Amino acid sequence: MVLEQVGIGIAVTGTGSAIPAVSLSNDGLSQIVETSDEWISSRTGIRHRRLAVPAESLAKLSAEAAKAAIATAHLTPMDIDLILLATSTPDDLFGTACLVQAELGATKAVAFDLTAACSGFVFGMVTAAQFIRAGAYQNVVLIGADVLSRWVDWSDRRTCVLFGDGAGAVVMQPNERDRLLGFELRSDGTQNHFLNLAFQPRPKELLRGTTVGQGTFHPITMNGQEVYRFAVRRVPEVIEKALFRANLTIADVDWLLLHQANQRILDAVGDRLKIPAEKVISNLAKYGNTSAASIPLALDEEVRQGKVKAGDTIVSAGFGAGLTWGATVFQWGR
Ligand code: UT7
């Protein structure tokens, strides 16, 4: 897992993002469930979230983010070899990445979905890196996108106040100098029940003795306190491991880019790692928790604002349903 030993270096050369136009404030939410701006902002840091209207698709949002990332990398869709779409809210359970490929006109690219909930982008970055290092693909678009508004129980104030919709993307390419310095990925299915969006089958008897399960997915259920505890304990561990593999220390970190779930989690992880608050990237006041989109969406904003600069060292960590969690250490640009 010390990536540089394998040979081909990796660079993250483009970023892009897309968000739905409709915004819902905490005050708006308090007309839907019994809550308040005070409760939501003090417990989570979230003030607004974007929501996809029914006509908006995950594929369209994803393609918009990918287009912007491809343009930043000075490529065209025809140059793309692989499209990886990290999502838990596909337009089509058979996969949405092919719809993104069609939307982009990236006819040369092979495209598939990857599901690891809010860790999807981090898991996707490591997956994309394997294809590049193996020499199989050169120009990879990795998208993190989710429309959790489709799957939130809008009568459950414990969850519906947290989530929003969005998409973010990066382009990854081979590079002489390796900019993906280390990673650590983890999973623990024994804690799946703390956060899930599970299929709920109803028995349907086809013939006597032949019954299948039919139905749909149950809206998100979550034990918020357990997920909070898990994140604050486990995320610093994987960050320290990824830094160790990269042969770096906390002092080398320019930016801590965590999955944007809760400001209190960002603060607690930053405190535990002794990373100063000004190095902790946060945009969740504007977008809430956008699941697989949150890391690339925040990265794109920081790059476009000129805060994250070429060569800056970023420690990125995702965590969430599965349970899954993981961290990557990379430097932006060639
Ligand atoms: O991608 C990973 C996704 N998940 C997460 O990141 C979740 C991690 N967990 C959290 O962020 C926090 O646990 C929450 C923000 C979800 C909840 O914060 P908390 O400080 O753990 O609150 P709590 O669940 O202990 O609830 C405290 C009180 C309860 O009332 P009682 O029982 O003390 O009377 C809740 O019923 O707050 C109540 N409450 C609310 N009140 C107003 C829960 N949700 C709301 C709400 N508005 N939206």
Side-chain angles (χ1 to χ4, degrees), residues 35 39 43 118 157 161 222 224-225 228 259 261-262 264 289:
T35 190
W39 193 95
R43 300 263 177 160
C118 303
R157 69 177 184 174
V161 302
M222 181 178 74
Q225 290 184 357
Y228 187 95
H259 164 50
N262 184 326
R264 282 156 55 211
N289 177 345

Side-chain angles (χ1 to χ4, degrees), residues 33-36 39-40 43-44 118 157-159 161-163 195 222-229 231 259-262 264-265 289 291 319-321:
V33 286
E34 202 184 325
T35 190
S36 64
W39 193 95
I40 302 170
R43 300 263 177 160
T44 69
C118 303
R157 69 177 184 174
R158 290 166 306 155
T159 51
V161 302
L162 303 174
F163 298 102
L195 176 54
M222 181 178 74
N223 181 329
Q225 290 184 357
E226 288 295 345
V227 176
Y228 187 95
R229 262 196 288 274
H259 164 50
Q260 307 283 299
N262 184 326
R264 282 156 55 211
I265 296 178
N289 177 345
S291 192
F319 52 91

Side-chain angles (χ1 to χ4, degrees), residues 147-218:
V147 281
L148 278 173
S149 63
R150 291 176 179 172
W151 294 106
V152 156
D153 176 352
W154 285 102
S155 66
D156 178 8
R157 69 177 184 174
R158 290 166 306 155
T159 51
C160 76
V161 302
L162 303 174
F163 298 102
D165 303 334
V170 295
V171 170
M172 292 168 63
Q173 295 180 278
N175 202 45
E176 207 167 301
R177 184 157 174 194
D178 193 15
R179 300 291 192 173
L180 179 54
L181 305 171
F183 71 86
E184 177 73 15
L185 305 181
R186 304 295 302 272
S187 305
D188 182 0
T190 65
Q191 298 191 61
N192 180 271
H193 54 282
F194 287 145
L195 176 54
N196 59 31
L197 202 180
F199 182 67
Q200 293 242 314
R202 271 178 285 103
K204 180 178 170 67
E205 191 171 49
L206 302 177
L207 292 172
R208 222 180 149 81
T210 306
T211 303
V212 292
Q214 293 247 293
T216 184
F217 292 84
H218 193 271

